[in-house]
Amino acid sequence: MKLRIGYGFDVHRLADGHSLFIGGVKVPSEFGAVGHSDADVLLHAVCDALLGALSLRDIGYHFSDTDPAFKGIDSKILLERVFSMIKEKGYAVNNIDTTVVLEKPKLSSYIPEMQKVISTLLEVSEDCVSVKATTHETVDSFGEKRAIKAYACCLLIKK
């Protein structure tokens, strides 16, 4: 059995007048993430983890933030495309482990829905997708509610 490990990270600025999408779920909030796409920091980190596991570069390489085709795109579409690349290489997802860093709003009640979205997109059971949320304890731009970040790691298995 051939195993590959990948790691991903993403960060977005937060601002009024934007929606907050995390893990494919629209989270009610007075502010949202700013980005070329829908700025879903969690799905972007998962994309980078998957791509990194197979040395396929990063999300920006495949979906440039200067390309108008990706302006406002739903990040679930980006994850679907990345997962297609993974399957083309003969791999499947064994599991994903993620962490979102956001001071507010609290994400605990949205995590099961995020797990469902991600597991569906990656064709694994929900218990193969870990989504954790934490704060930055009011430290720096993340703790001051000016930014959001996410970390992801994955284990891929050769089919």
Side-chain angles (χ1 to χ4, degrees), residues 75-143:
S75 293
K76 293 189 297 289
I77 295 169
L78 302 180
L79 183 54
E80 286 174 337
R81 292 181 185 178
V82 167
F83 187 53
S84 290
M85 292 181 224
I86 300 310
K87 291 192 294 187
E88 285 173 15
K89 296 285 186 180
Y91 281 83
V93 172
N94 186 73
N95 70 299
I96 301 278
D97 185 22
T98 69
T99 303
V100 178
V101 180
L102 179 67
E103 205 68 25
K104 284 189 179 180
K106 299 297 183 193
L107 300 178
S108 181
S109 62
Y110 302 99
I111 287 175
E113 188 177 355
M114 293 175 194
Q115 288 175 290
K116 182 176 179 123
V117 168
I118 296 168
S119 67
T120 299
L121 292 169
L122 299 180
E123 301 173 5
V124 295
S125 62
E126 290 175 38
D127 67 343
C128 293
V129 177
S130 169
V131 177
K132 302 177 302 295
T134 190
T135 67
H136 231 242
E137 301 294 330
T138 69
V139 176
D140 70 24
S141 61
F142 302 100

Side-chain angles (χ1 to χ4, degrees), residues 7-99:
Y7 171 78
F9 169 80
D10 195 39
V11 63
H12 284 277
R13 184 172 54 86
L14 296 172
D16 293 332
H18 294 268
S19 296
L20 184 61
F21 291 95
I22 305 172
V25 175
K26 187 173 184 180
V27 176
S29 177
E30 60 195 52
F31 48 80
V34 179
H36 185 69
S37 66
D38 66 3
D40 188 325
V41 69
L42 181 55
L43 294 189
H44 294 180
V46 170
C47 285
D48 268 351
L50 295 170
L51 291 166
L54 296 180
S55 299
L56 296 174
R57 302 204 47 183
D58 59 58
I59 190 172
Y61 176 79
H62 295 279
F63 313 109
S64 173
D65 65 2
T66 60
D67 187 335
F70 303 118
K71 179 72 175 158
I73 194 168
D74 184 332
S75 293
K76 293 189 297 289
I77 295 169
L78 302 180
L79 183 54
E80 286 174 337
R81 292 181 185 178
V82 167
F83 187 53
S84 290
M85 292 181 224
I86 300 310
K87 291 192 294 187
E88 285 173 15
K89 296 285 186 180
Y91 281 83
V93 172
N94 186 73
N95 70 299
I96 301 278
D97 185 22
T98 69
T99 303

Side-chain angles (χ1 to χ4, degrees), residues 136-155:
H136 231 242
E137 301 294 330
T138 69
V139 176
D140 70 24
S141 61
F142 302 100
E144 294 168 357
K145 301 178 237 169
R146 296 185 288 122
I148 181 173
K149 65 181 167 180
Y151 302 92
C153 63
C154 69
L155 179 63

